[in-house]
Amino acid sequence: MKILVLLKQTFDTEAKITIEGGKISRSGVSMIINPYDEFAVEEALKIKESLGGEVTVVSTGDDGVQDALRQALAMGADKAVLINPGTDDVDEFTAATVLAKAVSGMEYDLILAGWRAVDDGSAQVAGRVAEILGIPIAKLASKIDVEAGKATATCEIEGGTEVIELPLPAIITAQKGLNEPRYPSMKGIMQAKKKPMEKKGLGDIGLDAGAVAAKVKVLSVALPAARAAGKVFDGEPADTSAAVVKALREEAKVI
Amino acid sequence: MDFSLPEEFVMLKKMVRKFTENEIMPLEMTVIEREAARGFEATPSMPPEEEKKILAKAKDLGLWGIDVPEEHGGQGLGMLAKMLVEEEMNRSICWIFLPPDSPNLDFLANACRPEQYEEYLFPYSRGEKTSALALTEANAGSDAAGIQLRADRKGDKWVLNGTKLWISFGPKADFFIVIAVTDKVKKQRGGFTAFLVDKGTPGFTILRNIPCIGDMLVYELLLEDVVLDDSKVLGEVGQAFVPLQNRLGVRRIEIGAKCCGAATRCMELMLTQARVRETFGSPIGNRQFIQGMIADSTTEIHACRLMVYHAASKYDSGEKDLRIEGAMTKVYGTEMLQRISDKAIQMHGALGLSKEMVLEYIFRMCRIWRIVEGPSEIHRWLIARQIIRSEKPYETIFGML
């Protein structure tokens, strides 16, 4: 079973986000594997452990992304592939085009990814890759079973779950709860630096800057407004309860 | 001069940080409650079943025996890697001893004879057996020359009589390395011998635990006509002192690393408090008293970390005589942590003193560390004596030039 995992490096979820010069500042922020992609890596390793095979992690970005890939190698992935798009001006179209093109030149039975990245949260890339490759996709899986030629994914839908069977090759995206990602072991860490890390440019996979130019332009970035202070109702419980209900209905309009 | 850590060591440090935050820190409140509730009993503050689970997970991750040479079944990654693990794990107040405990392993690896490997060295290095060093007595601590526990030669046997005090591990230890007088004239110059005494040996009793400050669990041992044969002698008869000195050197740098971890935790709490806590309409981080505490503490942690990393990398490059580095790191690290935990409590006011935070626990913990493994005064004496006695130019004494 050859499994590919599409992986994105994101800000640490505990990082404090600041904006400098109209862009989100990367200085002093520690970077991690997108947590949903980490579920995908873990699931790939579990499938490999039960069925045998090989796990390759694939990402697009600059050299800094190697840290995230190395982390996945330390967890137990066998190989890493990194395609540098040669620009910071990247949208979902760019990422999906680059990843799909890179993946199309590789052997695979199953592609796993997180259902979204925690940074921009657009949840588009895996779907776009499936479309370009012309293979089925199941999203938001909380359980995945793989057997010869097919996969069954239990996926989250509004108010319930849906069980989807897909012929392989296919893409499945991971939701929280799919598994508990392992820590990289000491042995894994020591082996990681000996595992292959293939670095490619656009030209190496048959693309050029024009073919991947972003279609979406970010006009501005803003931080969410600071949360306003809560409102305290003073007085006798009977009076304050009435006041709270009134405020919830008329001011907050939630009931 | 390259101060950067190798990439795999950075990954190791991050992994241990995550492990500590996810697996160990959630137990801190339990540890605080159990420690407060135990009174004069020797109840371990960490629930034994939780400790077992954490140790098993740590073993799977390859955190046991980080610095243990590969020929003894360890990871062979050296002292620096071990110090990084210690530093990260000590951001939590929960004391987890990752077996094998390197100072005793060092002693065993240097002193065990091949016929003792199967019973002591190998199971110890695999973490299957726990050991404790029984050196200190009522009238002999840092000045070990005063020990009185006797080992008399009777026929082809040794007979041990005496008591040991302030001995760690107690009932947890499968065997004790007991230092005894075999020649009371020669004393530490050829008259002290190390013996391997198994738990349950006739005549060997753990008399009592001695209730102490904080998480210090120590015991009094009684040896009454304990009969041992030559197979229980560790190392050469009369030569316990040399491996003993090496053993203590390793521990001192390790304590420095532990202090860096605990001080980092204090610092993180101080920073949150400085940013979040407001008085008279402004965060306290805007006040110079608070800024002074933060600036000084950051500087001290940085200094201590560099001392630990430097000593550890010297050890890894083959330097074994780290007496000055060990002493400096131990004194500086423990006293730094005392100052920083004190400032951290001060910044938190009543909350800092409460058992709803880890600070008062750390504060009492580092008071222990300023005494165990040699009090600050002994280490200062050692540093000064080495430097004054040395005939080398000052800068060359510990290899900075």
Side-chain angles (χ1 to χ4, degrees), chain B residues 166-186:
Chain B
W166 316 116
I167 307 304
S168 304
F169 294 102
K172 267 184 150 178
D174 297 296
F175 65 93
F176 293 79
I177 300 172
V178 176
I179 311 297
V181 184
T182 43
D183 185 331
K184 62 183 172 189
V185 179
K186 289 185 185 161

Side-chain angles (χ1 to χ4, degrees), chain A:
Chain A
M1 173 80 46
K2 288 198 188 300
I3 308 167
L4 307 182
V5 180
L6 307 182
L7 179 157
K8 185 178 187 180
Q9 187 185 44
T10 58
F11 284 18
D12 191 329
T13 45
E14 284 173 24
K16 188 172 190 297
I17 305 296
T18 54
I19 294 177
E20 266 172 40
K23 283 189 167 178
I24 296 170
S25 168
R26 284 178 67 163
S27 74
V29 176
S30 63
M31 307 296 283
I32 57 166
I33 299 177
N34 171 39
Y36 293 103
D37 297 344
E38 208 177 357
F39 298 134
V41 173
E42 175 63 34
E43 197 64 16
L45 296 174
K46 284 168 80 171
I47 296 170
K48 177 187 147 184
E49 279 159 9
S50 70
L51 301 176
E54 191 182 60
V55 174
T56 306
V57 283
V58 187
S59 189
T60 176
D62 61 22
D63 275 359
V65 177
Q66 286 182 92
D67 289 346
L69 291 171
R70 190 92 64 205
Q71 191 74 11
L73 294 176
M75 286 170 74
D78 301 287
K79 287 196 302 193
V81 177
L82 173 62
I83 298 104
N84 193 330
T87 170
D88 285 340
D89 196 8
V90 168
D91 68 356
E92 291 80 6
F93 167 78
T94 313
T97 307
V98 170
L99 290 171
K101 186 73 178 174
V103 162
S104 64
M106 298 162 70
E107 277 182 67
Y108 58 88
D109 302 298
L110 177 65
I111 301 178
L112 297 175
W115 80 272
R116 68 175 176 114
V118 294
D119 47 13
D120 52 31
S122 73
Q124 291 186 27
V125 172
R128 284 170 176 267
V129 170
E131 179 67 22
I132 299 170
L133 296 174
I135 59 173
I137 182 167
K139 291 182 162 188
L140 289 145
S142 54
K143 186 169 182 290
I144 299 173
D145 293 302
V146 179
E147 40 189 310
K150 66 172 187 180
T152 312
T154 305
C155 300
E156 199 174 275
I157 54 170
E158 185 73 37
T161 56
E162 176 175 60
V163 180
I164 300 172
E165 189 181 285
L166 308 94
L168 296 182
I171 297 190
I172 302 175
T173 67
Q175 167 64 313
K176 195 177 171 150
L178 177 63
N179 53 47
E180 192 64 47
R182 68 195 64 191
Y183 303 97
S185 71
M186 197 57 241
K187 201 170 146 205
I189 290 172
M190 298 312 286
Q191 285 170 348
K193 62 178 174 183
K194 293 178 200 139
K195 290 178 177 174
M197 165 95 63
E198 233 181 287
K199 292 199 284 179
K200 295 178 175 179
L202 286 182
D204 299 323
I205 56 169
L207 289 174
D208 57 45
V212 302
K215 292 186 184 286
V216 173
K217 189 167 186 271
V218 176
L219 297 179
S220 69
V221 180
L223 292 173
R227 190 179 291 184
K231 192 168 176 179
V232 179
F233 294 83
D234 279 324
E236 290 300 313
D239 305 331
T240 51
S241 311
V244 169
V245 170
K246 191 162 182 267
L248 286 173
R249 191 187 297 271
E250 291 171 12
E251 289 173 42
K253 296 188 169 66
V254 292
I255 54 172

Side-chain angles (χ1 to χ4, degrees), chain B residues 186-205:
Chain B
K186 289 185 185 161
K187 290 190 172 178
Q188 72 270 38
R189 296 183 216 296
F192 289 167
T193 304
F195 290 89
L196 295 158
V197 180
D198 299 318
K199 180 162 79 177
T201 304
F204 175 81
T205 322

Side-chain angles (χ1 to χ4, degrees), chain B residues 137 139-141 143-149 181 187-188 192:
Chain B
E137 296 180 8
N139 292 314
D143 181 9
I147 65 169
Q148 288 175 350
L149 187 139
V181 184
K187 290 190 172 178
Q188 72 270 38
F192 289 167

Side-chain angles (χ1 to χ4, degrees), chain A residues 38 67 70-71 74 183-187 189-190 192-193, chain B residues 7-8 11-12 15 18-19 22-23 61-62 66 75 77:
Chain A
E38 208 177 357
D67 289 346
R70 190 92 64 205
Q71 191 74 11
Y183 303 97
S185 71
M186 197 57 241
K187 201 170 146 205
I189 290 172
M190 298 312 286
K193 62 178 174 183
Chain B
E7 189 188 358
E8 62 271 24
M11 289 174 84
L12 167 68
M15 178 261 273
K18 205 167 159 188
F19 179 74
N22 294 347
E23 313 286 337
L61 290 175
I66 288 271
Q75 307 279 346
L77 293 173

